[in-house]
Amino acid sequence: MIVRLADNIISPLGSSSEGNFRSVREGLSALRRYDNHWGLPEPFVGSLFEDIALEEECTPFESLAIQSVRQAVAQSSVDLSSPRTMLILSTTKGNISLLDDCEMPHIPRERVLLGVAAQRIADVLGITTSPLVVSNACISGVCAQIAAMRLLKAHACDVAIVCGCDVQSKFIVSGFQSFKALSEEPCRPFDASRSGLNLGEAAATIVYTLTDSAQDDDWVIDCGAIRNDANHISGPSRTGEGSYRALRAVSSHIDASSLAFINVHGTATPYNDEMESIALDRALLAQVPINGLKGYYGHTMGAAGVLETIISMRAVDDGVVLPTKGYSSLGVSRNINVSSRLRTTAARSFVKLLSGFGGCNAALLMTKGGLK
């Protein structure tokens, strides 16, 4: 069984998993409006750090990842220097701000390469094995956890540290603005009045290991699936094909009534939310409670799949289904069960679902104690 040993979230809402969960449970959001930020002519709403403590000779991106891994590992007895410990880094943009000559000129520009940045993170942490980078658009954080599952089952390592991290920049925000994908107000996933997504910053880490059996309170990855429908470079499938296939691959292992919820991508863009509703309906999961966390954090890109998995685990631990912040009235074609208020649950399993550019989709089935 693939068991979680420890985890951590560093975000504008807090510097621990528990602190972040409590903030979300209380309905707090880190989203706020930015005017003339980075000299951009258009305002945007996002969840950005006011300040990031820098590690020596490291960028903000690298520093966040290092600090999150350290805090997660501190909760366990993991030996970072062991040849059986591996770092898996999930990111979509890494040090992309280094392409601007004015940004941190003392940092070698080669660290814009994701593999080089990952090696710097591993070196500072004292990890002796070569890191693995997973960069597959918005599904990177779930893909990285599936990679950890596969490596552990293949006995390629004894401990897999999955860290998802991204920070925003003028380049990234202006790129999304060119798509007309950003909202100038806090996002409203699945709502009839949704007008686009918000971007966010975070680092999140989960430490996994392989065991013969799990304790009743252990979180276990039961299975994961990645499906690509190759619909379009940036637009989701109108039939939800890849998302549907990923959902079916993981939900076939469990009765839908045993799921506490499905934590969806929920970006609040017109087409992605619609696509997810179709995929859920096709997979016969429309009545399962669903929720999205972008109204609290914005879209944290490479961190999203890891961060949202951690918050979902904490929610099940607490016996609750979190509300989808910003949601009021259904604005998609399928009658899905969007969580609009805090609910209680006794279920011990959930599905984490993501989708991304290029038609990529991924899903995880997680169970407390593992499927029996």
Side-chain angles (χ1 to χ4, degrees), residues 231-247:
N231 177 72
H232 186 268
I233 191 171
S234 62
S237 165
R238 297 300 187 266
T239 62
E241 188 63 29
S243 186
Y244 158 72
R245 289 173 181 250
L247 277 170

Side-chain angles (χ1 to χ4, degrees), residues 83-371:
R84 301 292 297 170
T85 297
M86 186 170 187
L87 172 67
I88 303 174
L89 180 66
S90 163
T91 186
T92 66
K93 300 297 187 291
N95 284 320
I96 200 166
S97 62
L98 291 180
L99 291 175
D100 185 340
D101 290 331
C102 298
E103 288 288 331
M104 306 191 75
H106 63 290
I107 300 293
R109 281 182 57 129
E110 67 174 359
R111 296 233 292 270
V112 76
L113 301 174
L114 298 182
V116 178
Q119 188 62 61
R120 173 61 181 170
I121 292 166
D123 289 345
V124 172
L125 288 166
I127 296 173
T128 58
T129 54
S130 296
L132 173 68
V133 176
V134 176
S135 185
N136 190 6
C138 302
I139 72 170
S140 299
V142 168
C143 287
Q145 293 178 74
I146 293 172
M149 175 185 71
R150 292 171 177 171
L151 288 165
L152 288 164
K153 286 185 174 180
H155 301 286
C157 59
D158 293 333
V159 174
I161 301 169
V162 179
C163 177
C165 185
D166 264 314
V167 296
Q168 300 300 326
S169 68
K170 180 178 181 179
F171 176 87
I172 299 169
V173 174
S174 62
F176 276 92
Q177 286 178 332
S178 71
F179 277 138
K180 305 300 181 184
L182 297 188
S183 173
E184 294 184 11
E185 60 183 29
C187 64
R188 306 185 67 178
F190 299 97
D191 190 78
S193 299
R194 68 189 186 279
S195 58
L197 62 82
N198 307 140
L199 294 171
E201 299 179 326
T205 302
I206 305 177
V207 183
Y208 286 112
T209 192
L210 177 69
T211 65
D212 292 331
S213 60
Q215 300 298 313
D216 195 49
D217 286 339
D218 285 338
W219 273 104
V220 175
I221 300 180
D222 293 305
C223 59
I226 302 167
R227 300 290 186 269
N228 194 314
D229 55 41
N231 177 72
H232 186 268
I233 191 171
S234 62
S237 165
R238 297 300 187 266
T239 62
E241 188 63 29
S243 186
Y244 158 72
R245 289 173 181 250
L247 277 170
R248 289 300 298 159
V250 298
S251 65
S252 63
H253 296 270
I254 190 172
D255 188 277
S257 63
S258 298
L259 290 172
F261 52 81
I262 300 171
N263 182 255
V264 294
H265 196 37
T267 59
T269 57
Y271 292 129
N272 183 81
D273 288 5
E274 173 68 8
M275 179 275 290
E276 284 195 291
S277 79
I278 293 170
L280 289 160
D281 188 52
R282 288 183 64 192
L284 306 179
L285 297 169
Q287 296 310 305
V288 177
I290 74 158
N291 63 8
L293 297 171
K294 301 298 191 291
Y296 303 94
Y297 292 101
H299 190 344
T300 55
M301 304 193 304
V306 185
L307 182 156
E308 293 169 6
T309 298
I310 296 171
I311 295 294
S312 295
M313 288 189 288
R314 296 280 168 156
V316 173
D317 286 342
D318 207 40
V320 297
V321 179
L322 295 166
T324 303
K325 192 172 184 64
Y327 173 80
S328 178
S329 60
L330 191 65
V332 291
S333 65
R334 306 303 169 96
N335 189 27
I336 55 174
N337 185 9
V338 182
S339 179
S340 59
R341 57 180 176 81
L342 192 70
R343 318 185 201 183
T344 59
T345 181
R348 297 168 63 86
S349 298
F350 70 88
V351 169
K352 174 67 202 132
L353 180 66
L354 286 179
S355 59
F357 286 170
C360 58
N361 303 270
L364 279 178
L365 173 63
M366 306 281 296
T367 300
K368 194 172 182 179
L371 290 178

